[in-house]
Amino acid sequence: MGASGVGHEPPDDVPPPAVGGTKDANAPATAGASPGKTPGTAHPDGETSRPGPLARLGKAVRSAARAGPARPEFWRSPLRGPRLTSLFGLVLLFGITVLFVTGLLSYAAYNPDLAAVNDQTPNKGWLGFYLFSWPTSPYWLYRLTQGVHVTLGIVLVPVLLAKLWSVIPKLFEWPPIRSISHALDRLSLLLLVGGAGFEFVTGILNIQLHYIFPGSFYTLHFYGAWVFIGAFVVHVAFRLPRALRAVRPRRGEPAAGSEEAFGLVAPRPAAPTISRRGALAMVGLGSVALLVVTAGQSIGGWWRRTALLAPHGRDPGSGPNGFQINKTAASVGIRPSDVGPAWRLTVRGPGRQVDLTYEQLLAMTQHESALPIACVEGWSTTDQRWGGVRLTELAALVGMGVNTPEVLVESVQRGGSFRSAVLSDHQVRDSRSLLAVRVNGAILSADHGYPARAIVAGAPGVHNTKWVTRLTFGEPA
């Protein structure tokens, strides 16, 4: 960034080589040395010992380190300094805090304590503490929190990269470990940098629906988040006072090698090609550009056209069913026979069961709800007009009264995740919660869940189960 970060001049403390193999006649002779031999350690018997292989290896490693990036003079950029690093750090402090909070809210939206099908994270223990039962009002809450989580994560990428660039000389400090406390500090930095890279990379891949992970994204991202946030809290506790001092108004950067420089100021800086303000502006413009090409997928509607980073190749078509989808009927193994004339909706309650044909479902009292679809990948739709039967009225068919309990919703899909979900009792009782058979006045398309799908206010998109075949009220899932 800006000026060159690598110098090619020899270090000041290395003497020039002797010319023509000459020797200073006035130089004192080394004890125990003879012409043409390397000095060693004199023994009582007059013999000289040479350093052992481990000693020679250690000397070679130290020499190589001092000649490479561990040497302060190796880093030449005139932009690096505690003030620039602290400004990037304070932006990340705010941004990552918001990311973590919205991530916890996203976890809570799955109502993980209701059933194992809602949260299949193994051995989560106390890390999977349940915050609260996710509300249905305001109905756009998940759309907002997850949209902020994904969009802000993308926007912070230039700031994160700039922060890593600004402190890269510290990653090559020599010796790498000076004490136990220094070793713990280095370990926290390793977890911080590694955790940040892991969380941002897996999150971006998930947004693009590019699942190349060696396991479930949800499990990897969950545990990665806790490792990262632990290291982040430790880092903030030790570095925040220093960062606040560094951003105070003052004239110029501290001198290289001083305590205030924190090893970030180049001792022999190259000529600048951009100012620090210019560097800040460049990072800021990068974040603004990413905001412009990302936010549209959360806003939806016309603005989705500006979301150049949104997943492509999933054209929902036009008309009443022409809005975003994640998984198509074909991608999860839905066959025509699964949703054809033989399809039945099974409604179960304690000791009772009712089987409905598609025509019988259409004959029940129909209601409408205007609700969006909001997905964990950050995209969402504007409000769609859904038509169908209220979940409370379906519960009444099997003897459920006013206090309708939770319900297990199951799909006919064979492959993929989230083929079933458990909805809480207050989600079921919300008058906007439907088993939808229409959207925007038209019959559901196959990709939107024909013949019937759940639609619940405020729930993540994966809990609005498609191709529903069974509802089980009041029994353990």
Side-chain angles (χ1 to χ4, degrees), residues 31-51:
S34 59
K37 294 186 178 180
T38 303
T41 303
H43 285 264
D45 57 5
E47 295 183 359
T48 302
S49 66
R50 294 180 178 276

Side-chain angles (χ1 to χ4, degrees), residues 409-431:
V409 185
E410 297 178 83
S411 172
V412 300
Q413 79 174 67
R414 289 174 173 79
S417 56
F418 295 103
R419 64 171 302 273
S420 60
V422 174
L423 303 176
S424 66
D425 52 2
H426 70 275
Q427 288 177 317
V428 175
R429 296 171 194 171
D430 192 297
S431 61

Side-chain angles (χ1 to χ4, degrees), residues 69-391:
R71 184 167 57 90
E73 292 81 3
F74 183 88
W75 305 100
R76 302 289 307 282
S77 175
L79 301 183
R80 289 191 181 93
R83 183 176 177 82
L84 184 69
T85 296
S86 298
L87 288 173
F88 290 140
L90 292 174
V91 172
L92 288 174
L93 172 61
F94 171 79
I96 289 176
T97 301
V98 173
L99 284 180
F100 184 66
V101 171
T102 52
L104 288 179
L105 292 176
S106 178
Y107 179 72
Y110 284 76
N111 288 322
D113 275 5
L114 278 178
V117 296
N118 285 14
D119 177 23
Q120 300 181 24
T121 306
N123 305 316
K124 59 184 179 180
W126 62 270
L127 292 179
F129 65 89
Y130 189 50
L131 295 175
F132 51 86
S133 186
W134 188 252
T136 57
S137 293
Y139 70 89
W140 40 260
L141 180 60
Y142 185 75
R143 183 185 181 193
L144 173 65
T145 59
Q146 194 61 16
V148 169
H149 182 78
V150 170
T151 303
L152 181 59
I154 294 292
V155 167
L156 286 178
V157 168
V159 185
L160 177 66
L161 294 177
K163 174 66 160 54
L164 293 176
W165 171 88
S166 72
V167 298
I168 197 169
K170 300 290 289 181
L171 302 180
F172 291 90
E173 279 186 336
W174 192 268
I177 297 176
R178 295 192 293 267
S179 64
I180 294 178
S181 61
H182 186 247
L184 293 175
D185 180 62
R186 300 286 283 181
L187 177 61
S188 70
L189 285 178
L190 175 65
L191 296 177
L192 180 72
V193 175
F198 181 83
E199 287 298 285
F200 277 80
V201 169
T202 55
I204 291 171
L205 289 174
N206 181 63
I207 293 168
Q208 293 298 316
L209 307 178
H210 194 44
Y211 300 112
I212 59 173
F213 320 107
S216 168
F217 161 77
Y218 301 94
T219 301
L220 294 172
H221 207 65
F222 176 85
Y223 282 114
W226 282 111
V227 170
F228 169 63
I229 204 64
F232 181 73
V233 170
V234 171
H235 185 74
V236 170
F238 282 101
R239 298 293 197 274
L240 183 58
R242 178 189 299 179
L244 293 176
R245 291 195 303 270
V247 297
R248 291 174 183 170
R250 63 183 178 186
R251 301 178 66 180
E253 288 284 3
S258 65
E259 183 179 353
E260 295 79 11
F262 306 126
L264 298 175
V265 179
R268 290 169 49 189
T273 58
I274 187 175
S275 67
R276 289 191 177 94
R277 289 185 179 181
L280 287 170
M282 183 173 64
V283 173
L285 286 175
S287 291
V288 170
L290 289 175
L291 174 66
V292 170
V293 298
T294 302
Q297 70 169 348
S298 298
I299 299 173
W302 181 90
W303 293 101
R304 186 168 178 80
R305 302 176 187 176
T306 66
L308 302 181
L309 297 185
H312 296 281
R314 288 173 170 79
D315 184 8
S318 58
N321 281 272
F323 55 94
Q324 178 69 14
I325 55 174
N326 239 18
K327 54 186 179 183
T328 64
S331 69
V332 294
I334 301 297
R335 300 174 303 190
S337 59
D338 295 328
V339 294
W343 174 88
R344 295 292 183 271
L345 173 68
T346 299
V347 183
R348 291 177 177 174
R352 297 185 63 177
Q353 177 175 312
V354 174
D355 294 315
L356 300 174
T357 65
Y358 183 65
E359 289 72 22
Q360 289 173 323
L361 185 63
L362 293 178
M364 295 183 67
T365 303
Q366 304 289 301
H367 302 273
E368 287 195 349
S369 298
L371 298 172
I373 294 289
C375 204
V376 68
E377 287 85 6
W379 64 262
S380 59
T381 72
T382 52
D383 293 354
Q384 308 296 320
R385 186 165 49 87
W386 304 93
V389 182
R390 286 176 177 160
L391 295 180

